[in-house]
Each structure stands twice: as structure tokens, then as C-alpha cells.
Amino acid sequence: MAVKSRSVPKRSAGAKTAPAKRRAAPRPDYTSPERLQKIFAALDQLFPRAQCALRHSNPFELLVATILSAQCTDERVNKVTPGLFAKYPTPQDFAALEPEVLEKEIRSTGFFRSKARNLIGAAKKIVTEFGGRVPRTMEELLTLPGVARKTANVVLGTAYGIATGIVVDTHVFRIATRRLKLSRATTPEKVEQDLMRIVPRDRWISFSHQLIWFGRTICTARRPRCGECPLEPICDSADKTV
Ligand code: SF4
């Protein structure tokens, strides 16, 4: 049987060829050891002794201050806590408070009703279940009302020097994702897991404090000061101002 040859459609003289598909450029390795070392070195130079900005003199005060700092600036919290701790210095004092009394004291920090409820509930649990001491493990801290991983990491790292995780607040989240691209995650919990994989454990506590200060002073949310940033040569952020 004769096989018909397929006719090749003729291209008219003016027809354009379809543009060849461009391959997307490979994503740079934002978490390479070399790049991470540059980031750590710059942060060490900028903030060699970065500390938690919340004023406190014991783990319970830090717990209270951290719960109050949700959706509020540390400066505002630091204005409220000295008077509060002078009046109610112990977990027992907080546990005995009426919510309305505490609400008045902390009103200026915002969300004061839920914060008062959580503070009193946490204090009661600390008194009844933990012998009046703020617990020293993530699992136990997470049982306290108003305490999620961020607050627990602050207390464990700053008050007890225990590196259980990395504090991911609004500054750390912004810098780790959109700015330095250390994580592509979209939730603080997943960003923390990504950072814990690439940051050495002995840096977990200081790294959080350093990124928070970096976010407050240089890599600010609104208009980052890229002209003053030592990480500018290795930063690909679309938010850059230079
Ligand atoms: S160059 Fe700008 S955007 Fe990038 S890390 Fe520095 S301050 Fe932030």
C-alpha cells in the first residue's frame, strides 16, 4: 500500500516564528554557608551585644512584658511595666487580681481585656502547677494562656539562656523572608523551622535579638536604610532603596 507523504504546511512569507520559551534563571542559593557567614559577621559587627529591649528583672516579669508586647511597641510596654511590677511583684499578686483592675493598668498596650485575662490565667497556672516559678521548657510554657512559641522562645532564651528555637517577630519575619530571602515560608512557625535549620544552635538566641535590632534601625519596614546597610551587596530584595 502506498504511504501518503504528510504535507508540511507552508509558512507564509510574513508569518512570525513563535519565540523560544525562556528558561527562568535559577534562584540564587540564598542560604549558602558563605552568604550566611557574611550575614552573621555583619550582625555581630553591628550589634555585638544585642539584648531584649523589654525591661525586666526576673523570668516572670519578662513573661508579663512579652505578653503585653503583642501588637504593641516595646517602648510603650516599658512605660507600663515599672509601675505594674512595683504594685504586683509576684505571680501570686497577679493571680489574685480582678481582671478589671489589671485592665486599667495595661489599657495603653492595646487588646487589654484579652491580655489581662491571659496574664491572670498564666499567673494562676504558674502558682498552682509550677510552684510559683515560670517553667523552663517549651512544652510547659505553651500550656500557659497567651503563650505561643514566640513568647516561649523569648522567655527561654532571654531569661534562662535556653536555646529551644528562634524568636520570629514581625522584624525577623520580614527580614528572613522578603528582605534576605532566608526562607520562603509564609507563617512565623515555618520561618522559625527554616531558620533553625540554617542558623547554628549557639547563635539562635543572639540571632533573634540581632535581627530585631537590625529591623528596628536599618532594615526598617517602611523605608529600609539600604545606603547604610553592610548587607546591601548580597541583598536582592525588591524593597531595596538603593
Ligand atoms: S539592603 Fe536594604 S533591604 Fe536589603 S537587608 Fe539591607 S536594609 Fe534590608
Side-chain angles (χ1 to χ4, degrees):
M1 193 168 69
V3 177
K4 277 188 184 173
S5 62
R6 277 196 189 152
S7 61
V8 179
K10 279 184 186 163
R11 196 181 288 141
S12 67
K16 288 181 183 164
T17 50
K21 259 194 183 173
R22 279 213 193 123
R23 279 215 187 132
R27 181 180 157 98
D29 184 1
Y30 291 118
T31 58
S32 70
E34 298 74 31
R35 188 170 187 266
L36 290 173
Q37 283 313 317
K38 284 181 186 164
I39 292 171
F40 298 149
L43 292 174
D44 284 348
Q45 193 151 25
L46 284 169
F47 310 106
R49 283 175 293 278
Q51 296 285 336
C52 178
L54 292 168
R55 287 166 64 175
H56 63 280
S57 59
N58 59 50
F60 182 68
E61 288 188 1
L62 180 59
L63 175 69
V64 171
T66 310
I67 290 174
L68 289 177
S69 72
Q71 311 289 323
C72 180
T73 64
D74 290 356
E75 292 72 33
R76 162 63 42 202
V77 173
N78 285 340
K79 284 190 178 136
V80 169
T81 48
L84 189 64
F85 297 149
K87 276 192 195 169
Y88 313 107
T90 66
Q92 288 80 358
D93 294 321
F94 272 78
L97 277 170
E98 290 299 327
E100 301 74 36
V101 175
L102 185 52
E103 285 170 11
K104 274 191 197 139
E105 299 276 357
I106 63 171
R107 192 181 185 96
S108 64
T109 67
F111 300 93
F112 56 94
R113 288 204 179 89
S114 62
K115 286 180 183 176
R117 199 170 51 242
N118 286 335
L119 287 172
I120 294 170
K124 281 183 176 163
K125 199 154 192 182
I126 287 169
V127 171
T128 56
E129 295 184 23
F130 298 107
R133 289 171 179 263
V134 176
R136 301 171 69 102
T137 68
M138 176 64 75
E139 293 69 29
E140 290 170 321
L141 279 166
L142 291 178
T143 67
L144 301 178
V147 176
R149 272 196 75 90
K150 189 192 91 174
T151 299
N153 275 325
V154 171
V155 171
L156 289 170
T158 301
Y160 293 135
I162 299 171
T164 308
I166 294 179
V167 175
V168 178
D169 75 342
T170 176
H171 297 294
V172 176
F173 185 85
R174 176 181 72 253
I175 295 164
T177 55
R178 282 206 333 264
R179 298 288 167 83
L180 291 179
K181 305 190 179 182
L182 300 174
S183 169
R184 300 167 93 168
T186 54
T187 65
E189 292 75 21
K190 288 187 179 155
V191 168
E192 185 189 355
Q193 295 306 315
D194 285 346
L195 292 178
M196 285 165 71
R197 273 190 285 275
I198 57 173
V199 177
R201 193 177 191 124
D202 62 359
R203 277 190 176 271
W204 286 0
I205 298 171
S206 60
F207 184 75
S208 310
H209 293 315
Q210 288 175 326
L211 272 202
I212 291 168
W213 281 104
F214 183 54
R216 282 191 181 131
T217 55
I218 298 177
C219 196
T220 48
R222 291 252 167 91
R223 198 174 157 72
R225 298 159 72 176
C226 306
E228 300 166 34
C229 178
L231 295 175
E232 191 276 325
I234 59 164
C235 177
D236 265 359
S237 176
D239 297 342
K240 269 169 76 165
T241 53
V242 292

